Amino acid sequence: MQFCKLEIFIPQTHLTQLQTALQNVDAGHIGNYDSCLSYSEVIGTWRPLQNAHPYLGKQNEISQEIELKVEVRIKIDDLEKTIQAIKNIHPYETPVINIIPLLNEI
């Protein structure tokens, strides 16, 4: 397998920063195009526990906010540098980044 897809959940306010960070590590490069990604609005819920330092929300209270789910294809060889680039700009204490292997090599 050569590629995987990342699903990144991030506040709408940080989309431009994320796009720049992904472009800087060549994430979303498909054929003769770069900066290829898609995003959609989702509603996220979470409850910060005792030692949490949440970007949004209060300890021991369930929060609900609109977020973006950003999807981008990357080379598996670039996974570590891409994850680090995301963490460098992501406001959440623990970013949600799902890594999904892709079977197609196109």
Side-chain angles (χ1 to χ4, degrees), residues 13-64:
T13 55
H14 286 70
L15 178 62
T16 301
Q17 290 173 293
L18 179 61
Q19 287 174 308
T20 300
L22 293 173
Q23 186 178 41
N24 288 339
V25 293
D26 204 31
H29 191 140
I30 302 174
N32 293 323
Y33 299 85
D34 74 357
S35 304
C36 301
L37 60 77
S38 60
Y39 61 91
S40 54
E41 284 189 0
V42 297
I43 297 174
T45 64
W46 63 92
R47 183 176 70 160
L49 300 177
Q50 184 176 357
N51 294 319
H53 303 284
Y55 174 70
L56 294 171
K58 297 179 182 172
Q59 287 185 348
N60 295 312
E61 292 182 16
I62 294 178
S63 294
Q64 176 176 308

